[in-house]
Amino acid sequence: MATAPAQKISPHVIIALPGNEAFAQALADAGAGELGAIETRNFPDGETYVRLATDVAGKAVLLVSTLARPDEGFLRLVFLADAARSLGASTVTLVAPYLAYMRQDRRFQPGEAITSRTFARLISSSFDRLVTVDPHLHRYPALSALYEIPALTLHAAPLLADWIAASIAKPLVIGPDEESEQWVSAIAARIGAPHAVLRKIRHGDRDVEIALPDLSQWNGLQPVLVDDIASSGNTLIEAASKLTPLGFARPDVAVVHGIFAGDSYERLAPLCGRIVSSDSVSHPTNAIGLSGLIAEALAAADAPDPELVRHRRPPEPVDDVERAGIDTFPASDPPPWTGGVA
Ligand SMILES: O=P(O)(O)OC[C@H]1O[C@@H](O)[C@H](O)[C@@H]1O
């Protein structure tokens, strides 16, 4: 998998949330720090148990968790962040290669929750810093408009561009909607290829309509659809299905966040040539590694950061009972409350 090289070593403790072990390992391999360990499970009543199995006192902790299915692991994430803080971590950074809850960014219907705001507030109250890649900034100009903590916003467009340049002869870079103009123009400029942007009308969560401008001047080029997210996949499916009747070859697809919910990948694949994604969300299409990009950005950000210092909450007093519980029982000898809540 292609990935950008890291420049410097950062002394972080990298802790993977379940399902993020490969990404955390890649971050460690890219020089972002050393892996730490956790123990986590569910009590019989469904509540979440977490334990930091690595000493984090005085250390800068990276909690690595893609947020592709945020509702499933959110409590575990904030429990771990809180545990790290209360056990004396110097900073707790959320590394979320895919950042969830960015698309409900206004009230589309009366009475709706603007979940992007609520989610940002919850994350901001648990972490000192956020690192993410291509968050879906549509109506927000930047994450700072939403998040109360410093946020490193990284961009995968150069990596996607390099994949296209290395893999596709004579590409025509196509964005499926106006929002994608920002990525496709940057990618096309980097590789010296033409680009076009389609028009999308969204009728519902899974219902989109795509209209094409006149693309006849590009006949003979290999279309490559580029987007930030494939969720229901219907944006890409609609776009791909409109191109071949015009005489284009089946388009290749390069997407940053390949969520590919449900059977979307199975429905999209027959319409396309190659489909690749970054490893922000684990999926068989992963071909573009983000760990080097993130490790490099973290190393740069480790230079003294007045913003981070200003936002950092004071260390919390360590709870004696909690420390006794952690210190008294070795990992092989679980504490007496292991069986669940009395
Ligand atoms: O059509 P699906 O895959 O559900 O949703 C992804 C699309 O919806 C937009 O917000 C994204 O930028 C992308 O174009």
Side-chain angles (χ1 to χ4, degrees):
M1 191 162 7
T3 184
Q7 304 274 308
K8 289 195 272 176
I9 303 291
S10 305
H12 299 105
V13 174
I14 305 170
I15 292 177
L17 275 287
N20 294 269
E21 293 81 2
F23 200 96
Q25 181 66 61
L27 269 181
D29 293 345
E34 293 188 354
L35 290 176
I38 59 166
E39 187 188 333
T40 183
R41 57 192 166 76
N42 288 97
F43 287 108
D45 60 4
E47 291 185 1
T48 298
Y49 170 88
V50 295
R51 184 176 85 88
L52 285 162
T54 298
D55 182 12
V56 297
K59 299 185 183 151
V61 171
L62 306 179
L63 288 185
V64 181
S65 179
T66 193
L67 292 169
R69 295 190 178 277
D71 298 18
E72 288 173 12
F74 185 76
L75 282 176
R76 181 175 287 114
L77 186 63
V78 298
F79 290 160
L80 278 167
D82 209 40
R85 286 200 62 79
S86 66
L87 289 166
S90 60
T91 56
V92 185
T93 298
L94 171 60
V95 178
Y98 172 68
L99 183 61
Y101 282 114
M102 288 299 296
R103 294 198 286 165
Q104 184 74 22
D105 55 4
R106 71 179 172 92
R107 249 183 270 287
F108 299 95
Q109 300 290 333
E112 285 179 346
I114 304 176
T115 49
S116 53
R117 279 193 210 154
T118 313
F119 191 72
R121 203 163 50 238
L122 292 169
I123 292 288
S124 299
S125 68
S126 291
F127 290 89
D128 297 301
R129 189 170 61 164
L130 166 66
V131 182
T132 191
V133 179
D134 288 318
H136 188 80
L137 292 168
H138 183 191
R139 279 165 279 260
Y140 296 115
L143 282 183
S144 56
L146 193 56
Y147 280 76
E148 295 156 20
I149 50 175
L152 283 175
T153 301
L154 308 178
H155 300 288
L159 299 176
L160 265 58
D162 293 349
W163 180 85
I164 293 169
S167 314
I168 303 172
K170 297 190 182 171
L172 168 62
V173 183
I174 299 180
D177 56 22
E178 287 88 345
E179 285 168 47
S180 62
E181 164 81 36
Q182 54 188 307
W183 303 292
V184 294
S185 57
I187 288 170
R190 184 174 170 101
I191 63 176
H195 76 276
V197 173
L198 314 185
R199 284 187 308 280
K200 178 170 80 181
I201 301 170
R202 185 175 280 286
H203 299 294
D205 296 354
R206 296 168 189 273
D207 185 7
V208 296
E209 190 183 327
I210 299 271
L212 274 61
D214 181 7
L215 299 174
S216 54
Q217 61 178 312
W218 310 120
N219 271 333
L221 300 187
Q222 170 62 37
V224 52
L225 286 163
V226 173
D227 209 353
D228 62 337
I229 303 171
S231 177
S232 74
N234 286 340
T235 296
L236 290 170
I237 288 167
E238 282 300 303
S241 64
K242 291 269 167 62
L243 287 168
T244 35
L246 297 179
F248 284 100
R250 289 188 303 166
D252 294 316
V253 170
V255 65
V256 181
H257 307 297
I259 295 173
F260 293 114
D263 63 352
S264 58
Y265 178 72
E266 287 69 26
R267 291 186 295 118
L268 176 65
L271 304 171
C272 299
R274 284 160 292 185
I275 302 175
V276 297
S277 62
S278 86
D279 58 356
S280 68
V281 180
S282 179
H283 189 267
T285 54
N286 290 172
I288 297 160
L290 298 176
S291 53
L293 178 74
I294 292 176
E296 198 173 339
L298 282 166
D302 283 343
D305 179 351
E307 268 291 279
L308 180 57
V309 171
R310 191 166 65 79
H311 281 86
R312 189 182 301 159
R313 289 166 296 165
E316 292 169 17
V318 175
D319 180 322
D320 285 345
V321 176
E322 184 179 356
R323 181 172 282 288
I326 293 285
D327 291 346
T328 306
F329 300 98
S332 55
D333 183 11
W337 55 85
T338 302
V341 177

